[in-house]
Amino acid sequence: PIRAAAKKCDLLTPVIIAAQIEYASGFDADKEGPQGRKGLSQLTPEVFDEYGEDDDDSGEASVLDAEDSIHAHARYFCHLADETRRLLKANEVVGDHLTLTLMAWDVGLETVKAQGGMPVLALGSYPFQIRGLFAQFTTDGSDSESDPDGSEPEPDADSATALPVQDDSDNAPDADGTALLSGSDFAAMFPSRNSFYSYAGLTDAMGKFPAFAGTGDEQTRKRELAAFLANIDHESGGLVHVEEINRAAWGNYCDTGQPYGCPAGQTAYHGRGPIQLSWNTNYKAAGDALGLDLLNEPDLVKTDASVAWQTALWFWMTQSGAGTMTAHDAITGGGGFGETIRTINGALECGGRNTAQVQARVDAYQRFAATLGVDPGDESSLRC
């Protein structure tokens, strides 16, 4: 029934339906939840009344019947997909089509429209939690450059160009840390990523930072790799967004007090890349460290995959942010995953400021640690 229902619209796939059902009910067809929600997908009475049919020919449509519930799920999802596509075409929202549709499923279409589709994180972590379950229902990594529907990934709504697909095979260039992360594992971790974020780009960048995932014993190296990937997963919406989606904020990252100013323009230093590098000061420092003129050419971070990954690793390896140590030192020195959050966004999330966002990072870290076969560490080390 899941495979059949997934054919109702182009965006929907069996993997998406299965992930949503796992999240909603754990495949308990008899589950009854709050607000009258029932069945595999925990549909409300209003949704099932509109989209439910007697799909199993039993003589009645019932939300507690697995096949009826699955097909109603698909019809409702496809309705939301049609509406979010319409909003995208009308430039009423920004974001990628799947994320917006999942957001609409979670918080309602009107809320997504009212928010302009952004900021994604302000509307909760549901889309990322669902994406995090994709690997559980994916049989292999053979479609590593495809969205769950088997098509080429849609370019990020705020990317200037659609970038060519790059090699994500296990035969990509090797570096010290890449022996711990195969191309197929990377594909499973980020099943809906923009093709710009390639495995080859990551491994090329890792070759320039040999201490990354190359310090300490194998358990420590795997924890660092999982911690880095979890944080960039959070920052980029599952490696979906190449540029910051909130265009209204693009003008906020120019520190005019610096002697070098903002030669590329007031709005040129918004978030880009896997860690969403922002501010003219960071573009200047990263460029100096990497031997690139990122102050004058900040768009290199969105047009060159290796440069994008290098900026993320530069920050990870050298910057302490709101913390007292770099994220690399936090993991290799025993500080734990929580300290990496403090380094990257502690001023906004740590100390109880945003526990939901901290939990989303922790969830991703635990998933990726499981993929790499490493213990993520004790509970007290996971939060900041």
Side-chain angles (χ1 to χ4, degrees):
I2 289 176
R3 291 184 184 277
K7 296 177 182 178
K8 295 189 189 300
C9 61
D10 291 340
L11 183 64
L12 190 55
T13 71
V15 169
I16 294 171
I17 296 177
Q20 288 188 282
I21 290 174
E22 173 65 24
Y23 180 88
S25 70
F27 283 86
D28 179 357
D30 298 320
K31 181 175 180 178
E32 298 192 19
Q35 300 173 316
R37 296 178 182 273
K38 295 180 180 180
L40 288 174
S41 303
Q42 290 293 280
L43 301 176
T44 64
E46 295 78 15
V47 167
F48 189 78
D49 284 347
E50 184 168 356
Y51 298 97
E53 298 179 11
D54 181 18
D55 290 283
D56 66 345
D57 297 322
S58 66
E60 66 172 335
S62 171
V63 71
L64 295 176
D65 178 273
E67 192 166 350
D68 292 356
S69 178
I70 289 166
H71 281 274
H73 177 136
R75 292 187 189 95
Y76 181 50
F77 181 98
C78 292
H79 161 71
L80 295 176
D82 288 344
E83 291 300 304
T84 51
R85 187 184 296 277
R86 180 182 62 77
L87 292 173
L88 279 166
K89 288 183 176 179
N91 294 319
E92 294 184 55
V93 297
V94 297
D96 73 281
H97 191 199
L98 177 56
T99 296
L100 290 171
T101 303
L102 291 171
M103 287 163 58
W105 181 283
D106 184 42
V107 300
L109 190 64
E110 290 305 313
T111 301
V112 173
K113 182 178 179 180
Q115 291 286 335
M118 61 187 189
V120 171
L121 295 181
L123 293 177
S125 59
Y126 178 77
F128 309 129
Q129 291 172 312
I130 297 302
R131 278 196 167 98
L133 294 170
F134 285 170
Q136 182 175 336
F137 302 100
T138 303
T139 57
D140 57 47
S142 59
D143 293 328
S144 61
E145 285 296 354
S146 299
D147 272 341
D149 63 354
S151 63
E152 291 302 315
E154 298 179 43
D156 175 31
D158 286 333
S159 295
T161 57
L163 295 152
V165 170
Q166 301 185 40
D167 177 25
D168 270 8
S169 70
D170 288 350
N171 297 319
D174 194 18
D176 287 348
T178 60
L180 304 177
L181 179 70
S182 69
S184 57
D185 279 345
F186 178 73
M189 288 172 169
F190 301 100
S192 297
R193 73 189 183 286
N194 191 306
S195 60
F196 174 70
Y197 292 118
S198 66
Y199 178 74
L202 172 59
T203 55
D204 182 70
M206 287 171 68
K208 296 173 173 60
F209 292 89
F212 170 73
T215 303
D217 60 20
E218 183 174 317
Q219 295 293 296
T220 301
R221 294 166 62 203
K222 285 184 175 181
R223 284 194 187 106
E224 181 171 19
L225 191 56
F228 172 75
L229 294 174
N231 278 296
I232 61 99
D233 173 81
H234 186 82
E235 293 295 320
S236 63
L239 291 184
V240 169
H241 302 295
V242 177
E243 294 187 276
E244 181 176 357
I245 66 171
N246 186 1
R247 289 179 178 268
W250 280 19
N252 296 339
Y253 305 109
C254 175
D255 182 354
T256 56
Q258 299 299 325
Y260 44 78
C262 298
Q266 176 76 25
T267 63
Y269 303 102
H270 54 272
R272 295 181 181 85
I275 211 162
Q276 293 289 283
L277 185 75
S278 55
W279 289 96
N280 57 328
T281 51
N282 280 327
Y283 277 88
K284 175 70 163 61
D288 289 348
L290 300 173
L292 301 166
D293 187 9
L294 296 183
L295 184 66
N296 286 287
E297 299 181 80
D299 275 348
L300 282 174
V301 183
K302 76 168 187 178
T303 58
D304 187 311
S306 179
V307 170
W309 284 112
Q310 287 177 56
T311 62
L313 288 172
W314 164 81
F315 188 93
W316 183 268
M317 299 297 292
T318 68
Q319 303 300 295
S320 59
T324 59
M325 63 184 78
T326 68
H328 171 71
D329 290 340
I331 293 294
T332 60
F337 180 72
E339 284 301 313
T340 71
I341 303 174
R342 192 182 307 280
T343 295
I344 292 171
N345 211 26
L348 296 177
E349 296 180 17
C350 293
R353 296 180 185 91
N354 197 328
T355 56
Q357 299 309 314
V358 170
Q359 185 61 52
R361 293 182 194 264
V362 171
D363 290 344
Y365 173 57
Q366 291 175 322
R367 288 197 313 272
F368 293 165
T371 298
L372 295 174
V374 64
D375 181 351
D378 63 80
E379 188 69 21
S380 63
S381 71
L382 301 182
R383 291 167 177 76
C384 56

